[in-house]
Amino acid sequence: MFLLGWRFAVAEFFGGLLMIIILTGVFRAFLTRPMVEEARRKADRGALGRMKVTAEMDMSVTEGH
């Protein structure tokens, strides 16, 4: 049908651009320069972030998938 036609492709393309523009605005509004600088300092030191892991999640690393 028409769902996978050229209109859909155009909507996906412009929707992606719109999402990039919106997220750029949100990041600029909520991420202050001191927050970004602190994150860069921590990344340069090799500080790891935090991730909540529940008992149900298998976080094991297996060699050679």
Coordinates of all heavy atoms in Angstrom, one line a residue:
M1 N 0.8 -1.2 0.0 CA 0.0 0.0 0.0 C 0.9 1.3 0.0 O 2.0 1.2 -0.4 CB -0.9 -0.1 1.2 CG -1.9 -1.2 1.1 SD -2.6 -1.4 2.7 CE -2.8 -3.1 2.9
F2 N 0.3 2.3 0.5 CA 1.0 3.6 0.4 C 2.0 3.9 1.6 O 2.7 4.8 1.6 CB 0.0 4.8 0.3 CG -0.8 4.7 -0.9 CD1 -2.1 4.3 -0.9 CD2 -0.2 5.0 -2.1 CE1 -2.8 4.2 -2.1 CE2 -0.9 5.0 -3.3 CZ -2.2 4.6 -3.3
L3 N 1.9 3.0 2.6 CA 2.8 3.2 3.8 C 4.2 3.3 3.5 O 5.0 4.1 4.1 CB 2.5 2.2 4.8 CG 3.2 2.3 6.2 CD1 2.8 3.6 6.8 CD2 2.9 1.1 7.1
L4 N 4.7 2.5 2.6 CA 6.1 2.4 2.3 C 6.5 3.1 1.0 O 7.5 2.9 0.4 CB 6.6 0.9 2.2 CG 6.4 0.2 3.5 CD1 6.8 -1.3 3.3 CD2 7.3 0.8 4.6
G5 N 5.7 4.1 0.6 CA 5.9 4.8 -0.6 C 6.8 6.0 -0.4 O 7.4 6.2 0.7
W6 N 6.9 6.9 -1.4 CA 7.8 8.0 -1.3 C 7.4 9.0 -0.2 O 8.2 9.6 0.4 CB 7.9 8.7 -2.7 CG 6.6 9.4 -3.1 CD1 5.6 8.8 -3.8 CD2 6.2 10.7 -2.8 NE1 4.6 9.8 -4.0 CE2 4.9 10.9 -3.4 CE3 6.8 11.8 -2.1 CZ2 4.3 12.1 -3.3 CZ3 6.1 13.0 -2.0 CH2 4.9 13.2 -2.6
R7 N 6.1 9.1 0.0 CA 5.6 10.0 1.1 C 6.2 9.6 2.5 O 6.6 10.4 3.3 CB 4.1 10.1 1.1 CG 3.5 10.7 -0.1 CD 2.0 10.7 0.0 NE 1.5 11.2 -1.2 CZ 0.5 10.6 -1.9 NH1 0.0 9.5 -1.5 NH2 0.1 11.1 -3.1
F8 N 6.2 8.3 2.7 CA 6.7 7.7 3.9 C 8.2 8.0 4.0 O 8.7 8.5 5.1 CB 6.5 6.2 4.0 CG 7.0 5.6 5.3 CD1 6.3 5.7 6.4 CD2 8.1 4.9 5.3 CE1 6.7 5.2 7.6 CE2 8.6 4.3 6.4 CZ 7.9 4.4 7.6
A9 N 9.0 7.8 3.0 CA 10.4 8.1 3.0 C 10.7 9.6 3.2 O 11.6 9.9 4.0 CB 11.0 7.7 1.7
V10 N 9.9 10.5 2.6 CA 10.1 11.9 2.8 C 9.8 12.3 4.3 O 10.5 13.0 4.9 CB 9.2 12.7 1.8 CG1 9.2 14.2 2.2 CG2 9.8 12.5 0.4
A11 N 8.7 11.7 4.8 CA 8.3 12.0 6.2 C 9.4 11.5 7.2 O 9.7 12.2 8.2 CB 7.0 11.3 6.5
E12 N 10.0 10.3 6.9 CA 11.0 9.8 7.8 C 12.2 10.7 7.7 O 12.8 11.0 8.7 CB 11.5 8.4 7.3 CG 10.5 7.3 7.7 CD 10.7 7.0 9.1 OE1 11.8 6.9 9.6 OE2 9.6 6.7 9.8
F13 N 12.6 11.2 6.5 CA 13.7 12.1 6.4 C 13.5 13.4 7.2 O 14.4 13.8 8.0 CB 14.0 12.4 4.9 CG 15.2 13.3 4.7 CD1 16.5 12.9 4.8 CD2 14.9 14.6 4.3 CE1 17.5 13.7 4.6 CE2 16.0 15.5 4.1 CZ 17.3 15.0 4.3
F14 N 12.4 14.1 6.9 CA 12.2 15.3 7.6 C 11.8 15.2 9.0 O 12.2 16.0 9.9 CB 11.0 16.1 6.8 CG 11.5 16.7 5.6 CD1 11.0 16.2 4.3 CD2 12.4 17.7 5.5 CE1 11.4 16.8 3.1 CE2 12.8 18.3 4.4 CZ 12.4 17.8 3.2
G15 N 11.3 14.0 9.4 CA 11.0 13.8 10.8 C 12.3 13.6 11.6 O 12.5 14.1 12.7
G16 N 13.3 13.0 10.9 CA 14.6 12.8 11.5 C 15.3 14.2 11.7 O 15.9 14.4 12.8
L17 N 15.2 15.0 10.7 CA 15.8 16.4 10.8 C 15.1 17.2 11.9 O 15.8 17.9 12.7 CB 15.7 17.1 9.5 CG 16.6 16.6 8.4 CD1 16.4 17.4 7.1 CD2 18.1 16.8 8.8
L18 N 13.8 17.1 12.0 CA 13.1 17.8 13.0 C 13.5 17.3 14.4 O 13.7 18.1 15.3 CB 11.6 17.6 12.8 CG 10.7 18.3 13.8 CD1 10.9 19.8 13.7 CD2 9.2 17.9 13.5
M19 N 13.7 16.0 14.6 CA 14.1 15.4 15.9 C 15.5 15.9 16.3 O 15.7 16.3 17.4 CB 14.0 13.9 15.8 CG 14.2 13.3 17.2 SD 12.8 13.8 18.2 CE 12.0 12.2 18.3
I20 N 16.4 16.0 15.3 CA 17.7 16.5 15.6 C 17.6 18.0 16.1 O 18.3 18.4 17.0 CB 18.6 16.4 14.4 CG1 18.9 14.9 14.1 CG2 19.9 17.2 14.5 CD1 19.6 14.6 12.8
I21 N 16.8 18.8 15.4 CA 16.7 20.2 15.7 C 16.1 20.3 17.1 O 16.6 21.1 18.0 CB 15.8 20.9 14.7 CG1 16.6 21.0 13.4 CG2 15.4 22.3 15.2 CD1 15.8 21.4 12.2
I22 N 15.0 19.6 17.4 CA 14.4 19.6 18.8 C 15.4 19.2 19.9 O 15.5 19.9 20.9 CB 13.1 18.8 18.8 CG1 12.0 19.4 17.9 CG2 12.6 18.6 20.2 CD1 10.8 18.5 17.7
L23 N 16.1 18.1 19.7 CA 17.0 17.6 20.7 C 18.2 18.6 20.9 O 18.6 18.7 22.0 CB 17.5 16.2 20.3 CG 16.5 15.1 20.5 CD1 17.1 13.8 20.0 CD2 16.1 15.0 22.0
T24 N 18.6 19.2 19.8 CA 19.7 20.2 20.0 C 19.2 21.4 20.9 O 19.9 21.8 21.8 CB 20.1 20.8 18.6 OG1 20.6 19.7 17.8 CG2 21.2 21.8 18.7
G25 N 18.0 21.8 20.6 CA 17.4 22.9 21.5 C 17.2 22.5 22.9 O 17.6 23.2 23.8
V26 N 16.8 21.2 23.1 CA 16.6 20.8 24.5 C 17.9 20.6 25.2 O 18.1 21.0 26.4 CB 15.9 19.4 24.5 CG1 15.9 18.7 25.9 CG2 14.4 19.6 24.0
F27 N 19.0 20.1 24.5 CA 20.3 20.0 25.2 C 20.9 21.3 25.5 O 21.4 21.5 26.6 CB 21.2 19.2 24.3 CG 21.0 17.7 24.2 CD1 21.5 17.0 23.2 CD2 20.2 17.1 25.2 CE1 21.3 15.6 23.2 CE2 20.0 15.7 25.2 CZ 20.6 15.0 24.1
R28 N 20.7 22.3 24.6 CA 21.2 23.6 24.9 C 20.5 24.3 26.0 O 21.1 25.1 26.8 CB 21.2 24.5 23.6 CG 22.2 24.1 22.6 CD 22.2 25.0 21.5 NE 23.3 24.6 20.5 CZ 23.5 25.2 19.4 NH1 22.8 26.2 19.0 NH2 24.5 24.8 18.6
A29 N 19.2 24.0 26.2 CA 18.5 24.6 27.2 C 18.8 24.0 28.6 O 18.8 24.7 29.6 CB 17.0 24.5 27.0
F30 N 19.0 22.7 28.7 CA 19.2 22.0 30.0 C 20.6 21.7 30.3 O 20.9 21.5 31.5 CB 18.3 20.8 30.0 CG 16.8 21.1 30.1 CD1 16.1 21.0 28.9 CD2 16.2 21.6 31.2 CE1 14.7 21.3 28.9 CE2 14.9 21.9 31.3 CZ 14.1 21.7 30.1
L31 N 21.5 21.6 29.4 CA 22.9 21.2 29.7 C 23.7 22.5 29.8 O 24.0 23.1 28.8 CB 23.5 20.3 28.7 CG 22.9 18.9 28.6 CD1 23.6 18.1 27.5 CD2 23.1 18.2 30.0
T32 N 24.1 22.9 31.0 CA 24.8 24.1 31.1 C 26.3 23.9 30.9 O 26.8 22.7 30.9 CB 24.7 24.7 32.6 OG1 25.2 23.7 33.5 CG2 23.2 25.0 32.9
R33 N 27.0 24.9 30.6 CA 28.5 24.8 30.3 C 29.2 24.1 31.4 O 30.1 23.2 31.2 CB 29.1 26.1 29.9 CG 30.5 26.0 29.5 CD 31.1 27.2 28.8 NE 30.3 27.5 27.6 CZ 30.5 27.0 26.4 NH1 31.3 26.0 26.2 NH2 29.8 27.4 25.4
P34 N 29.0 24.5 32.7 CA 29.7 23.8 33.8 C 29.4 22.3 33.9 O 30.3 21.5 34.2 CB 29.1 24.5 35.1 CG 28.7 25.8 34.6 CD 28.2 25.6 33.2
M35 N 28.2 21.9 33.5 CA 27.8 20.5 33.5 C 28.6 19.7 32.5 O 29.2 18.6 32.7 CB 26.4 20.3 33.3 CG 25.5 20.6 34.4 SD 23.7 20.6 34.0 CE 23.5 18.9 33.6
V36 N 28.7 20.3 31.3 CA 29.5 19.7 30.2 C 31.0 19.6 30.5 O 31.6 18.6 30.3 CB 29.2 20.5 28.9 CG1 30.1 20.0 27.7 CG2 27.8 20.4 28.5
E37 N 31.5 20.7 31.1 CA 32.9 20.7 31.4 C 33.2 19.7 32.5 O 34.3 19.0 32.4 CB 33.4 22.1 31.9 CG 33.4 23.2 30.8 CD 34.3 22.8 29.7 OE1 35.4 22.3 29.9 OE2 33.9 23.0 28.5
E38 N 32.4 19.5 33.5 CA 32.6 18.5 34.5 C 32.5 17.1 33.9 O 33.3 16.2 34.2 CB 31.5 18.6 35.6 CG 31.7 17.6 36.7 CD 30.6 17.7 37.7 OE1 29.8 18.6 37.7 OE2 30.5 16.8 38.6
A39 N 31.6 16.9 33.0 CA 31.5 15.6 32.3 C 32.8 15.3 31.5 O 33.3 14.2 31.5 CB 30.3 15.5 31.4
R40 N 33.3 16.3 30.9 CA 34.6 16.1 30.1 C 35.7 15.8 31.0 O 36.6 15.0 30.7 CB 34.9 17.4 29.3 CG 34.0 17.5 28.1 CD 34.5 18.6 27.2 NE 33.6 18.7 26.0 CZ 33.1 19.8 25.5 NH1 33.5 21.0 26.0 NH2 32.3 19.8 24.4
R41 N 35.8 16.5 32.2 CA 36.9 16.2 33.1 C 36.8 14.8 33.6 O 37.8 14.1 33.7 CB 36.8 17.2 34.3 CG 37.4 18.6 34.0 CD 37.6 19.4 35.2 NE 36.4 19.6 36.0 CZ 35.5 20.5 35.8 NH1 35.7 21.4 34.9 NH2 34.4 20.6 36.6
K42 N 35.6 14.4 33.9 CA 35.4 13.0 34.4 C 35.8 12.0 33.3 O 36.4 10.9 33.6 CB 34.0 12.8 34.9 CG 33.7 13.4 36.2 CD 32.3 13.1 36.7 CE 32.0 13.7 38.0 NZ 30.6 13.4 38.5
A43 N 35.4 12.3 32.1 CA 35.7 11.4 31.0 C 37.2 11.3 30.8 O 37.8 10.2 30.5 CB 35.0 11.8 29.7
D44 N 37.9 12.4 30.9 CA 39.4 12.5 30.7 C 40.1 11.7 31.8 O 41.1 11.1 31.6 CB 39.9 13.9 30.7 CG 39.5 14.6 29.4 OD1 39.2 14.0 28.4 OD2 39.5 15.9 29.4
R45 N 39.5 11.7 33.0 CA 40.1 10.9 34.1 C 39.8 9.4 34.0 O 40.3 8.6 34.7 CB 39.6 11.4 35.5 CG 40.2 12.7 35.9 CD 39.9 13.0 37.4 NE 38.6 12.6 37.8 CZ 37.6 13.4 38.1 NH1 37.7 14.7 38.0 NH2 36.4 12.9 38.5
G46 N 38.8 9.1 33.1 CA 38.4 7.7 33.0 C 37.4 7.3 34.0 O 37.2 6.1 34.3
A47 N 36.7 8.3 34.6 CA 35.6 7.9 35.5 C 34.5 7.2 34.8 O 34.0 7.6 33.8 CB 35.1 9.2 36.2
L48 N 34.0 6.2 35.5 CA 32.9 5.4 34.9 C 31.6 6.0 35.4 O 31.5 6.5 36.5 CB 33.0 4.0 35.3 CG 34.3 3.2 34.8 CD1 34.3 1.8 35.4 CD2 34.3 3.2 33.3
G49 N 30.6 5.9 34.5 CA 29.2 6.3 34.9 C 28.6 5.2 35.7 O 29.1 4.2 36.0
R50 N 27.3 5.5 36.1 CA 26.6 4.6 36.9 C 25.4 4.0 36.1 O 24.8 4.7 35.3 CB 26.0 5.2 38.1 CG 27.0 5.6 39.2 CD 26.4 6.2 40.3 NE 26.4 7.7 39.9 CZ 25.7 8.6 40.6 NH1 25.1 8.3 41.7 NH2 25.7 9.8 40.2
M51 N 25.1 2.7 36.3 CA 24.0 2.1 35.6 C 23.3 1.2 36.6 O 23.9 0.4 37.3 CB 24.5 1.3 34.4 CG 23.4 0.7 33.6 SD 24.0 -0.1 32.1 CE 23.5 -1.8 32.5
K52 N 22.0 1.4 36.7 CA 21.2 0.6 37.6 C 21.0 -0.8 37.0 O 20.5 -0.9 35.9 CB 19.8 1.2 37.9 CG 19.0 0.4 38.8 CD 17.7 1.1 39.0 CE 16.8 0.2 40.0 NZ 15.5 0.8 40.2
V53 N 21.5 -1.8 37.7 CA 21.3 -3.2 37.2 C 20.5 -4.0 38.1 O 20.7 -4.0 39.3 CB 22.7 -3.9 37.1 CG1 22.6 -5.3 36.6 CG2 23.6 -3.1 36.2
T54 N 19.4 -4.6 37.6 CA 18.6 -5.4 38.4 C 19.0 -6.8 38.4 O 19.8 -7.3 37.6 CB 17.1 -5.3 37.9 OG1 17.0 -5.9 36.6 CG2 16.6 -3.9 37.9
A55 N 18.5 -7.6 39.4 CA 19.0 -9.0 39.5 C 18.5 -9.8 38.3 O 19.1 -10.9 38.0 CB 18.4 -9.6 40.7
E56 N 17.5 -9.3 37.5 CA 17.0 -10.1 36.4 C 17.8 -9.9 35.1 O 17.7 -10.7 34.2 CB 15.6 -9.7 36.1 CG 14.6 -10.0 37.3 CD 13.3 -9.3 37.1 OE1 13.1 -8.6 36.1 OE2 12.4 -9.5 37.9
M57 N 18.7 -8.9 35.1 CA 19.5 -8.7 33.9 C 20.8 -9.5 33.9 O 21.5 -9.5 35.0 CB 19.9 -7.2 33.8 CG 18.7 -6.3 33.6 SD 19.1 -4.5 33.7 CE 20.1 -4.4 32.2
D58 N 21.1 -10.1 32.8 CA 22.4 -10.8 32.7 C 23.4 -9.9 32.1 O 23.3 -9.6 30.9 CB 22.2 -12.0 31.8 CG 23.4 -12.9 31.7 OD1 24.4 -12.6 32.4 OD2 23.5 -13.7 30.8
M59 N 24.3 -9.4 32.9 CA 25.3 -8.4 32.4 C 26.7 -9.1 32.2 O 27.7 -8.5 32.1 CB 25.5 -7.3 33.5 CG 24.2 -6.5 33.7 SD 23.6 -5.7 32.2 CE 24.9 -4.5 31.9
S60 N 26.7 -10.4 32.0 CA 28.0 -11.1 31.8 C 28.5 -10.9 30.4 O 27.7 -10.7 29.5 CB 27.8 -12.6 32.1 OG 26.8 -13.1 31.2
V61 N 29.8 -10.9 30.3 CA 30.4 -10.7 29.0 C 30.9 -12.1 28.5 O 31.6 -12.8 29.3 CB 31.6 -9.7 29.1 CG1 32.3 -9.6 27.7 CG2 31.1 -8.4 29.5
T62 N 30.5 -12.5 27.3 CA 31.0 -13.8 26.8 C 32.0 -13.5 25.7 O 31.8 -12.6 24.9 CB 29.8 -14.6 26.3 OG1 29.1 -13.8 25.3 CG2 28.8 -14.9 27.4
E63 N 33.0 -14.3 25.7 CA 34.1 -14.2 24.6 C 33.6 -14.7 23.3 O 32.9 -15.7 23.2 CB 35.3 -14.9 25.1 CG 35.9 -14.4 26.3 CD 36.5 -13.0 26.1 OE1 37.1 -12.8 25.1 OE2 36.5 -12.3 27.1
G64 N 33.9 -14.0 22.2 CA 33.7 -14.4 20.9 C 32.2 -14.7 20.5 O 31.9 -15.9 20.2
H65 N 31.4 -13.8 20.6 CA 29.9 -14.0 20.3 C 29.8 -14.9 19.1 O 29.9 -14.6 18.0 CB 29.2 -12.7 20.0 CG 29.2 -11.8 21.2 ND1 28.7 -12.2 22.4 CD2 29.6 -10.6 21.4 CE1 28.8 -11.2 23.3 NE2 29.4 -10.2 22.7

